[in-house]
Amino acid sequence: MSIPTALITGITGQDGSYLADFLLTKGYRVVGMVRRSSTENFERIEHLRGQVEICQADLLDQLSLINLLRQVRPGEVYNLASQSFVPTSWEQPVLTGEFTALGVTRMLEAVRLVDREIRFYQASSSEMFGKVQEVPQTERTPFYPRSPYGVAKLYGHWITVNSRESYNLFACSGILFNHESPRRGKEFVSRKVTDGVARIKRGLADQLFLGNLEARRDWGYAGDYVEAMWLMLQQPQPDDYIIATGDTHSVRELCEIAFARAGLPWQDHVMVDQKLVRPAEVDLLQGDASKAQRVLGWHPRVSFRQLVEMMVDADLARHAQRP
Ligand code: NAP
Ligand code: GDD
C-alpha cells in the first residue's frame, strides 16, 4: 500500500504543528507549505526537522499553489494558513481578506485544476457566529460575523461549501471553536495570560493589561482538535462540522485559574486597558459538537482547567530556563 501524502498550509502555526505531529503518527508523508520570509519561523516544528518536507508557496500567489500541488501530489490538503488574529483584521482588513477569504478560493481552484480527487479541509471558525443568534451554536445556527476576520472566514466557509456543491469536490469545513496550547501565539488571550502569569511569578513583570474580561469562549485543546480535522477527511462523504467542548468560560475565569496555578492573586496584577477592547465584540461562544461526536466519534479529552494549568506550567518552565 502506498504512503498517504498530506499537504498542510500554515504548518508553522499552532494547529499546523499539532496536525503534523498527528499525521506522522498515522504514517503520512507530511509536506508543509510556508511563505517565503527573510528569517525562518520554524519554532513550532523544530522537533519535526527531517520528518516533514517544507515547500515554499503563498496563498496570495495562485500559480505557486498550482505548482505546489503538481509537485507534491497530495491526497489530502489541510488549509490552515490565514491571518488569524482578530484585532489585526481591523487594522489590515484588505490583507486579511486576501489571505483568509480569497486564499481559500485560490487553493480550491488549484485543487480543481490539478487533481479533483484531493480531499480538502478548510479551517473555518466560530468567529463566524459573532453576535450569536442562538446558544449553543450548531451547524444550522445563522452566522453574524463581528470582525473583518469573521467576515473573511465566512467567505472561506461558503466557497468551500460551494466548491462541493458546484464541482463535487471532497471539501469539508471544520467550524472550530477556540483551541489553545503551550504553542499558542502570545497575542491570543489564553497564552497572553499564561505567559503573563509566568513572567510575574519569575519577577520579570508585575502587571498584565487585558481588554474585555467578561467575554466568554468555548476553549479546547489544540491537540484534540487536529484529530477532528483528519477524521472529517476519512468519511465517505464530505460535510461540515462544529468542533467544540460545549463548555463556556470568561476571560476573568481564565485569569482566576491561571494565576491560582502559580499561587498569585489575580486581582493584584490584572489591569484593564480600554485600548484592548474591540470595536465590535463577540460576547459569548458555546458550541454544540454533537454531530461530530455522532458521525466522527470525536470527543475532546482535555478540560478547560487542565488546559489552562498545562499552559501555565509550560510557561513557568520556559521562563525558569530562559527569562
Ligand atoms: P496561527 O498560529 O496564527 O498560524 C497561521 C499560519 O498561517 C502560520 O503558519 C502562518 O505562517 C500562515 N500564513 C499566514 N499567511 C500566509 C500566507 N499568505 N501564505 C502562507 N502561509 C500563511 O493560527 P492557528 O491558531 O494555528 O489556526 C490555524 C487556522 O485555523 C487559521 O486559519 C485560523 O484562522 C483557524 N482557526 C483557528 C482557531 C483557534 O482557536 N486556534 C479556531 C478556529 C479557526 P507564518 O508562520 O509565516 O506567519
Ligand atoms: N487577544 C486578546 N488580548 N484578547 C483579549 C484580551 C487581550 O488582552 N483581553 C480580553 N480579550 C478577549 C477578546 O476581546 C476576546 O473576546 C477573547 O478575549 C478571546 O480573544 P483571542 O484569544 O484573541 O481569540 P478570538 O476569540 O478573538 O479569536 C481566536 O479564536 C477564533 C475562533 O473563535 C483566534 O484563534 C481566531 O483565529 C479563531 O478563529
Side-chain angles (χ1 to χ4, degrees), residues 11 24 31 54 81 157 160 174 213 221 245 277 307 318:
I11 194 168
L24 286 169
V31 182
I54 298 297
H157 169 75
T160 302
L213 300 184
Y221 172 52
T245 68
V277 174
L307 171 65
R318 204 169 48 82

Side-chain angles (χ1 to χ4, degrees), residues 62-178:
Q62 179 74 69
L63 192 57
S64 73
L65 300 176
I66 294 168
N67 285 336
L68 181 65
L69 292 188
R70 284 192 175 135
Q71 178 195 331
V72 174
R73 304 302 306 197
E76 297 173 12
V77 170
Y78 296 87
N79 186 38
L80 309 187
S82 81
Q83 190 303 93
S84 74
F85 189 48
V86 172
T88 298
S89 74
W90 278 285
E91 308 293 331
Q92 301 177 8
V94 175
L95 190 61
T96 299
E98 285 287 350
F99 285 1
T100 304
L102 285 176
V104 188
T105 308
R106 292 190 193 97
M107 189 49 100
L108 283 164
E109 287 294 279
V111 166
R112 195 159 71 91
L113 194 77
V114 176
D115 179 1
R116 285 165 177 251
E117 297 304 310
I118 289 173
R119 294 186 167 211
F120 178 86
Y121 172 85
Q122 168 58 17
S124 293
S125 165
S126 52
E127 184 75 11
M128 301 187 304
F129 294 118
K131 190 171 178 178
V132 297
Q133 302 296 293
E134 64 177 348
V135 181
Q137 296 84 53
T138 74
E139 290 81 2
R140 290 170 308 285
T141 302
F143 299 113
Y144 192 141
R146 293 272 280 172
S147 62
Y149 168 83
V151 173
K153 277 289 177 189
L154 193 50
Y155 174 96
H157 169 75
W158 282 120
I159 201 71
T160 302
V161 173
N162 186 256
S163 69
R164 189 166 75 215
E165 295 177 354
S166 303
Y167 307 122
N168 212 20
L169 293 186
F170 194 109
C172 299
S173 174
I175 305 173
L176 270 55
F177 283 60
N178 299 50

